[in-house]
Amino acid sequence: MNEEINRRDFIKRAAAVTAATSISMAGISTDTVLGSNDRIRLGVIGMGRQGIDNMQNFMKHGVEVAGVCDVFEPSLQKGLQAAGGKAQTYKDFRQLLDDKTIDVVINATPDHWHALPTVMACQAGKDVYIEKPICVAVEEGKKVVEAARKYKRVVQVG
């Protein structure tokens, strides 16, 4: 992750990964039973409109929702319902990050909360899909990039 990458190489790699993922996902039927090492387990922090929409898009690709988190109880319950009622619920995102069975986290918190949970998710060994903006201050953005590189995590901003 320390290697420099230019924009052209990034686009090529992203296209290759997207193509490979699309091909592999196209071959998986709903009848296929995946082993525990094949399943991607998701935790979602922030169960507002964007968090639920992102989660449902992940679910369309076979991702299992393991945990949902929101400090506002009505949003937490909406997220749990959207996850099919089977996910663990959390009011504190740090408890969700402590769950060793979660592989990837969606961070759909309010803008001023994007950086801290992302850095902490990287520290906890989780890959992160974070809503834009990545941060509200340049220094926060630098900390997110440092954490992703230091802990060798995938962090995507969308």
Side-chain angles (χ1 to χ4, degrees), residues 95-116:
Q95 292 173 333
L96 181 141
L97 296 178
D98 286 341
D99 185 340
K100 302 292 185 212
T101 68
I102 293 177
D103 304 304
V104 65
V105 172
I106 293 174
N107 182 354
T109 57
D111 293 356
H112 65 281
W113 268 101
H114 285 180
L116 181 63

Side-chain angles (χ1 to χ4, degrees), residues 128-142:
V128 184
Y129 177 86
I130 180 173
E131 272 300 317
K132 65 176 179 20
I134 193 170
C135 61
V136 294
V138 173
E139 288 305 313
E140 289 177 340
K142 289 179 180 179

